[in-house]
Structure formats: structure tokens, C-alpha cells
Amino acid sequence: MKWLRNNNKREFIHPQEQLRAEKLAHIGIELRLKRQEKGLSLEQVAAKTRIRRRLLQAIEEAKLDELPEPIYIQGLIKQYAEALGLNGTELASIFPTGDRQLSIKPVWTSLPAAQLQSIHLYLLYILVISFAVNTLSHLLSRSEIRANSNLIQEQPIGSPVLQPDQLPPKQLEKIKPVSATPSNSNDSNKPVRIDVTLKAESWLRVVADGKTQFEGLLPQGTQRTWVAESQLKIIAGNAGGVLVTFNQEEAKQLGNPGEVQEVTFAANQQS
């Protein structure tokens, strides 16, 4: 048992609550280190798991007062860990959900039939709760996802750029491919060359002759060159921040600020 003194008053902390806080602190550190190792932000994990960002942050910082009931916390830990490639069931089992933490080990064959049945019911209960957590998180985040769908058209240059895999399906449908060919027919035998300069941060995907050459977030001021034999495609998450020079012609802006744009550059097929 533990007592805390606050403003001349003593507040009792239940041993089980203290144990939960200690276990969650350990789990939160492991999840945060794994997320940073993969180069993911909390926003990216939230989009992938459909768990609200503030809940993910509360898990990492072991803030029990900002999280739901222990059994729901266990489900959130499992889902978060699996999104990072960890063993979600194993990591979630570390977090105690009741006064008596059930330890599941491969000794079931030695348990009485009544006790084995209780374990099965407990596992079924965990599965039901996990499904409920997923559904609840999805419903809570739907309004946030709908709000984000308007950011693509309103986002100024220099502000954080949403990546295409974070956009709602309806927004992705708005990406309109654009094709371009060299204006000088004498360059028909040259490979397709693209020089890219970023005047604002943008996510890019570059596909040369059907093979992805690059995919990631590039900072302002980056200069890159890609070459293809017949066709080169660029998808930008902030087209207004991307300047493109096609076969050493005049540099042009790929699109409007905050706009997701796909542009295909191809060699002149005319003889």
C-alpha cells in the first residue's frame, strides 16, 4: 500500500493501481521506442490503428487518468503493439486488468475441466472486449478523419502535409493523372530526366519505368534527380511545394499548395 501527502491530506493509492501505473510505464516506453525506430509519428499510427492520438500518447506516457477502464487499456495496447509489428497479445498480458492477474501458460492439459472452461470463457471475454474497443475507437475517430479530408485543399505551403495513405478514399479519387511529353522532338532518344526542387516540405513517390525509386517525406530545400528510359511518374502530397524541371526545360510548379497531384512524364514516342 502507498500513501501520498497532498495539501496536508493523505491520499491512499491501491497497490493494484500502482502496479498498473508501473506496468504501463514499461509498456509505454517499449511502444514509443519501437514507433520511433520505425520513423512513425503518433498521427500515422492513429490513422493506421483508428485509435485516437491522445489515447496513444496517454499509453506512451503512462497517464492512467486519461485512459478508459483497464480491460479496454489492454485491448488498446494489443492493437497498438500489433500495428508496430510486436506481439500484441504478449505485451498486453503484462498489463493487469483486475485484482488477480491471470497468467496463461502452456499447462492447460494439467488443469481440471472446470478451471479450463473458466479460462476459455476469460479468453472469449477478452476477444469480445477487444472487438468493442476497435469499434469504439473507429466511431470516435470518424469525425476527425472527415475533418482531415478538407485539409488538402486548404493547407498552406510550409505546413505539415498529409500523405496519400492517410487520406480518405474519396480524397484519393480526386488525384487526376497528368501526362507530359518533351516539346523538342530532337530529344526523342534521350532518357526521361526529372530534376526536383522542394520549396516546401512534401511527401513524394517516384516510379521510373514501373519501379518505385523513392517514397518518403522530403524537407524544404531538397534537390533530387531521377532518370527513366521511357516513363517517370511523380506523386506529390504538396504539389505547390514541388518544382519540376523536365529534360532540362523550364522549371514548373507541380500543382497548387496542399494539393495531391500525380504527374507522368514520358519520352516522345514519335520517330
Side-chain angles (χ1 to χ4, degrees):
M1 298 183 182
K2 186 176 180 181
W3 295 83
L4 292 180
R5 186 176 298 276
N6 183 19
N7 295 330
N8 298 323
K9 296 181 180 180
R10 293 200 302 173
E11 179 182 353
F12 172 71
I13 297 180
H14 195 281
Q16 187 69 14
E17 194 71 13
Q18 182 180 353
L19 177 61
R20 288 194 188 106
E22 293 173 355
K23 295 295 185 181
L24 186 60
H26 170 76
I27 294 170
I29 291 173
E30 183 172 350
L31 290 172
R32 183 174 70 253
L33 291 177
K34 188 64 176 179
R35 173 178 62 79
Q36 293 174 348
E37 177 185 331
K38 289 181 170 290
L40 298 174
S41 65
L42 284 173
E43 288 77 8
Q44 290 173 310
V45 178
K48 184 176 182 180
T49 61
R50 304 287 182 165
I51 299 175
R52 301 183 73 176
R53 181 189 183 282
R54 67 175 184 83
L55 296 179
L56 297 176
Q57 185 174 0
I59 291 174
E60 288 191 356
E61 298 177 358
K63 294 182 178 179
L64 282 173
D65 56 340
E66 297 182 10
L67 292 168
E69 294 298 320
I71 191 65
Y72 291 101
I73 297 176
Q74 193 176 64
L76 292 172
I77 292 171
K78 178 178 181 296
Q79 191 174 353
Y80 189 0
E82 290 178 348
L84 298 178
L86 297 172
N87 188 327
T89 302
E90 180 179 341
L91 191 61
S93 66
I94 299 176
F95 183 78
T97 58
D99 292 336
R100 300 177 62 186
Q101 181 71 358
L102 180 62
S103 177
I104 303 175
K105 298 180 180 179
V107 294
W108 291 353
T109 55
S110 62
L111 295 176
Q115 188 174 356
L116 184 60
Q117 184 177 10
S118 298
I119 293 176
H120 288 164
L121 292 175
Y122 177 80
L123 292 177
L124 178 60
Y125 176 68
I126 291 295
L127 290 176
V128 172
I129 292 299
S130 179
F131 176 77
V133 169
N134 292 339
T135 303
L136 179 62
S137 299
H138 176 70
L139 293 175
L140 291 176
S141 60
R142 284 183 65 183
S143 58
E144 295 179 358
I145 295 173
R146 289 175 180 174
N148 287 338
S149 64
N150 297 324
L151 292 178
I152 291 299
Q153 300 300 330
E154 300 174 358
Q155 193 171 29
I157 297 176
S159 58
V161 179
L162 291 177
Q163 300 183 11
D165 59 0
Q166 295 178 275
L167 300 177
K170 292 184 179 180
Q171 187 66 32
L172 289 174
E173 294 174 358
K174 297 180 181 180
I175 302 178
K176 298 181 179 179
V178 179
S179 61
T181 56
S183 59
N184 189 348
S185 60
N186 295 328
D187 293 338
S188 59
N189 294 324
K190 288 185 178 181
V192 179
R193 174 190 171 111
I194 297 298
D195 298 294
V196 175
T197 301
L198 272 75
K199 63 179 184 179
E201 182 183 75
S202 177
W203 178 90
L204 287 181
R205 178 186 295 157
V206 180
V207 180
D209 297 324
K211 296 181 179 180
T212 300
Q213 299 295 320
F214 175 81
E215 181 174 355
L217 193 66
L218 293 178
Q220 180 181 0
T222 301
Q223 293 183 338
R224 292 287 186 90
T225 298
W226 286 279
V227 177
E229 291 296 330
S230 60
Q231 187 180 83
L232 199 149
K233 179 170 65 177
I234 295 181
I235 303 174
N238 180 19
V242 182
L243 293 177
V244 177
T245 301
F246 176 38
N247 282 355
Q248 300 182 345
E249 295 181 353
E250 181 182 357
K252 296 182 179 180
Q253 188 168 292
L254 204 62
N256 297 322
E259 178 183 24
V260 179
Q261 184 67 270
E262 175 184 325
V263 180
T264 300
F265 300 90
N268 195 336
Q269 302 296 327
Q270 297 180 356
S271 58

